[in-house]
Amino acid sequence: MPLTYEHQMQILKDILSNHQTDCCGSVAECEQLERLVKSLMVNTHITDNIRPILQEVYEYSQSGVNASNLDDHINGNQQKLSQWVDGMNSYS
């Protein structure tokens, strides 16, 4: 059974929130973020307000996959992580 738009958004927010709270994560989580964002970007339920946030999250996840130290990458994006989640909560 495919995930609904709402479930995809919730998973995306959960992973970002965990990165923000725990200050650590895994490459697999970054890869999951990429897959979720790709799926959401083609979804017709997505408002134009969320698209720039999703693009930033995609870039964050790609950088995370390729980071030599993922925890440093996550720590360096703490402010953005909370902004993204707040933005998604505002528009969804």
Side-chain angles (χ1 to χ4, degrees):
M1 180 167 99
L3 293 174
T4 65
Y5 157 77
E6 291 83 9
H7 287 124
Q8 289 176 320
M9 286 298 291
Q10 190 57 53
I11 293 168
L12 185 66
K13 290 187 284 187
D14 286 347
I15 294 171
L16 293 173
S17 294
N18 288 342
H19 281 198
Q20 202 268 330
T21 315
D22 300 340
C23 298
C24 64
S26 69
V27 171
E29 288 171 334
C30 290
E31 292 169 340
Q32 180 69 20
L33 288 172
E34 286 182 349
R35 289 189 298 273
L36 285 166
V37 169
K38 281 181 183 178
S39 177
L40 287 166
M41 289 295 271
V42 297
N43 190 314
T44 56
H45 290 99
I46 293 295
T47 65
D48 288 338
N49 297 331
I50 293 180
R51 289 186 189 282
I53 296 170
L54 292 176
Q55 183 61 42
E56 289 181 26
V57 170
Y58 186 76
E59 292 166 8
Y60 162 81
S61 63
Q62 282 190 314
S63 296
V65 167
N66 298 312
S68 59
N69 187 321
L70 181 55
D71 292 348
D72 286 347
H73 171 68
I74 292 169
N75 283 321
N77 285 283
Q78 285 298 299
Q79 185 175 357
K80 288 181 181 180
L81 290 165
S82 60
Q83 288 173 348
W84 294 330
V85 172
D86 290 345
M88 285 184 255
N89 285 332
S90 296
Y91 297 124
S92 59

